[in-house]
Amino acid sequence: MQYVRRFALSFLLLATLSQLQAQNAKEANYDESKVPAYTLPDILKTTTNQDIRTKANWEKIRRPEIIKLFEDNVYGQMPKTFDRLTYSIKREDANAMAGKATLKEVLIEVVHHNQSVKINLVLFVPTKRKGPTPAFLLINNRGKDNTDPTRVHKSEFWPAEMVIDSGYAIAAFHVSDLAPDDTVQYVNGVLQLYPEQLTANNGMRAIGAWAWGASRVLDYLEKDATIDAKKVAIVGHSRGGKASLWAAAEDQRFAMCLSNCSGNTGAALSHRRFGETINRINTVFPHWFARKYKKFNNNEDALPLDQHMLLASIAPRPLYVTNASKDLWADPTGTFLSLKYAQKAYSLYGVEANLPVSPPAINQPISKSPLGYHNREGEHNLTAYDWSNFIQFAKVHYKK
Ligand code: GCU
């Protein structure tokens, strides 16, 4: 009986999977020659056609306009006020990683209108340090065992030992503390603090909630004397990589942003029809973006923005984005182009990115430019290779 049930279940799963694949194949274009012509909004022209030529006007006019465009059309609003943030150190071990690091498990609690959200932070700080230490903060969208504080379970997704050996601190929180990654359960978290978001057309959803959580962790890190809070890099993979970009765009306290394989509605261009589409992402993950974003399903050309503008809004802070060679779903070429088009905003600060015209070869990282990039050989994932390049990028840019 059990065997029959298992068989029926696997059959159902297979059928659903192949249905999904068929739908993807129908929707997703993987043929470069079939990418239709498209026009991107100009980063340096306001919606009222005003040219932006100076850093001052970028900061005063265009950058806020871009953030508002993303709030209203894509990620939703980012509530900035709350009643109270408190934290407590649940566990501290000055002898973690055989004495190489201090472990802190911190519970951060944010209260607003008598509702609260609890964020569990895992933080390792190198024992040998000259003063407050720069840190990498990962938005963890995969299993919690990836950031195991006991280090019994080790994972390339969050290679804490490698980061500690490089002299940096490493931290992580899990997305489920802010908004469970589920079409129904996502409301159980940050959105309980801001219920008005649920009815607004431009209301925050899960990705906004994760980015909001990253800022609350930064609020804590600013109070931790072992951390150099002016050098906190926000890191995310895939859906977490979309959130890391949004966090860095909204919160200029993040010194650096590392966005791994973030793809559609992350670093990749949306007007360019290659790989995942807005219709697909909104259909399969209706809880990620503002309700208004669905208006652009099968209607990319109507978007008053594109993702190069999101990357530009991070200027002049160092930004590193990646792809994996087999992850065409996330459109490596469209990701590189998006980064390239963001250059104009960096130039306003006198920072020349000098990216090549076409994407670099596989496994050829660009790390000296403030707009860093690599296309790692292999599958959609966050690996030790990616992290070693993040560390290299941080070394180059924190030195400047
Ligand atoms: C799906 C989704 C992507 C997302 C990815 C992930 O593939 O379509 O947009 O980036 O999941 O988060 O791993």
Side-chain angles (χ1 to χ4, degrees):
M1 188 59 204
Q2 214 176 16
Y3 176 77
V4 173
R5 202 184 305 147
R6 211 178 298 153
F7 178 77
L9 257 176
S10 352
F11 180 76
L12 207 77
L13 199 72
L14 270 178
T16 321
L17 266 177
S18 62
Q19 235 172 16
L20 264 178
Q21 267 159 1
Q23 193 191 330
N24 288 350
K26 203 172 83 205
E27 256 192 42
N29 168 41
Y30 288 123
D31 181 346
E32 200 55 57
S33 72
K34 293 209 174 104
V35 174
Y38 59 93
T39 316
L40 296 178
D42 188 335
I43 284 179
L44 300 184
K45 219 183 240 322
T46 67
T47 41
T48 53
N49 257 337
Q50 189 186 341
D51 284 321
I52 299 293
R53 294 199 187 88
T54 63
K55 173 184 142 192
N57 280 349
W58 167 259
E59 289 181 353
K60 206 170 90 211
I61 305 166
R62 183 58 171 157
R63 189 183 180 281
E65 185 181 76
I66 289 176
I67 297 291
K68 180 97 174 56
L69 282 170
F70 278 99
E71 285 176 351
D72 284 348
N73 295 287
V74 185
Y75 305 104
Q77 301 166 58
M78 179 65 77
K80 296 259 158 71
T81 56
F82 47 84
D83 293 339
R84 192 165 71 247
L85 181 144
T86 53
Y87 61 88
S88 53
I89 314 288
K90 291 281 156 203
R91 197 157 80 91
E92 184 158 2
D93 177 5
N95 207 23
M97 296 181 185
K100 281 202 287 193
T102 295
L103 160 70
K104 275 185 208 166
E105 288 181 66
V106 188
L107 183 69
I108 303 164
E109 185 171 9
V110 191
V111 178
H112 190 54
H113 293 166
N114 296 322
Q115 296 286 331
S116 94
V117 151
K118 292 192 176 80
I119 313 171
N120 294 280
L121 180 71
V122 184
L123 167 67
F124 285 100
V125 187
T127 313
K128 268 196 236 141
R129 54 172 192 273
K130 291 194 195 92
T133 310
F136 292 96
L137 169 62
L138 175 76
I139 301 173
N140 181 17
N141 59 294
R142 291 225 180 136
K144 285 189 182 158
D145 55 354
N146 282 298
T147 65
D148 180 12
T150 70
R151 306 315 291 151
V152 169
H153 180 90
K154 294 195 177 76
S155 143
E156 287 193 20
F157 198 75
W158 193 70
E161 284 73 11
M162 174 180 172
V163 172
I164 289 297
D165 287 341
S166 75
Y168 294 121
I170 181 162
F173 66 92
H174 198 265
V175 294
S176 59
D177 286 352
L178 288 316
D181 193 0
D182 178 276
T183 53
V184 178
Q185 298 297 327
Y186 76 96
V187 295
N188 298 322
V190 179
L191 284 160
Q192 288 171 326
L193 276 57
Y194 307 103
E196 68 285 357
Q197 295 293 320
L198 286 170
T199 48
N201 214 14
N202 64 350
M204 160 200 260
R205 291 292 183 271
I207 292 214
W210 305 340
W212 182 93
S215 288
R216 302 294 74 80
V217 170
L218 187 51
D219 293 341
Y220 162 75
L221 293 174
E222 284 185 331
K223 299 191 175 99
D224 187 320
T226 64
I227 299 298
D228 181 352
K230 296 222 156 54
K231 288 189 179 148
V232 174
I234 185 72
V235 191
H237 165 67
S238 209
R239 62 199 72 187
K242 305 179 208 294
S244 73
L245 291 169
W246 185 229
E250 276 283 350
D251 191 336
Q252 297 187 71
R253 295 175 301 164
F254 285 111
M256 192 177 280
C257 179
L258 308 156
S259 181
N260 199 71
C261 296
S262 61
N264 190 281
T265 324
L269 293 172
S270 299
H271 281 79
R272 197 184 115 87
R273 307 290 207 292
F274 193 101
E276 186 170 20
T277 61
I278 292 181
N279 181 51
R280 168 60 164 61
I281 206 167
N282 276 331
T283 308
V284 182
F285 307 101
H287 60 294
W288 280 1
F289 308 108
R291 199 191 292 149
K292 171 103 179 273
Y293 195 42
K294 299 190 172 55
K295 198 179 120 190
F296 303 101
N297 288 356
N298 300 314
N299 193 18
E300 279 85 353
D301 286 341
L303 269 173
L305 51 82
D306 210 320
Q307 300 305 117
H308 64 312
M309 290 157 62
L310 180 69
L311 307 189
S313 75
I314 296 172
R317 292 164 292 157
L319 163 66
Y320 195 98
V321 305
T322 79
N323 287 110
S325 62
K326 293 188 181 152
D327 184 17
L328 298 184
W329 184 236
D331 188 11
T333 303
T335 300
F336 180 78
L337 289 175
S338 178
L339 193 69
K340 174 120 187 106
Y341 299 140
Q343 282 189 146
K344 280 189 187 173
Y346 283 73
S347 300
L348 292 176
Y349 289 85
V351 184
E352 292 311 328
N354 288 323
L355 289 173
V357 178
S358 28
I362 291 166
N363 289 351
Q364 293 293 316
I366 296 176
S367 46
K368 297 217 170 76
S369 169
L371 291 170
Y373 178 82
H374 72 239
N375 189 7
R376 168 179 48 74
E377 177 166 24
E379 311 281 348
H380 179 75
N381 199 359
L382 174 56
T383 70
Y385 176 89
D386 300 314
W387 277 99
S388 67
N389 283 293
F390 297 166
I391 292 169
Q392 175 58 23
F393 185 69
K395 287 217 161 115
V396 170
H397 294 280
Y398 284 149
K399 219 181 269 161
K400 282 185 182 162

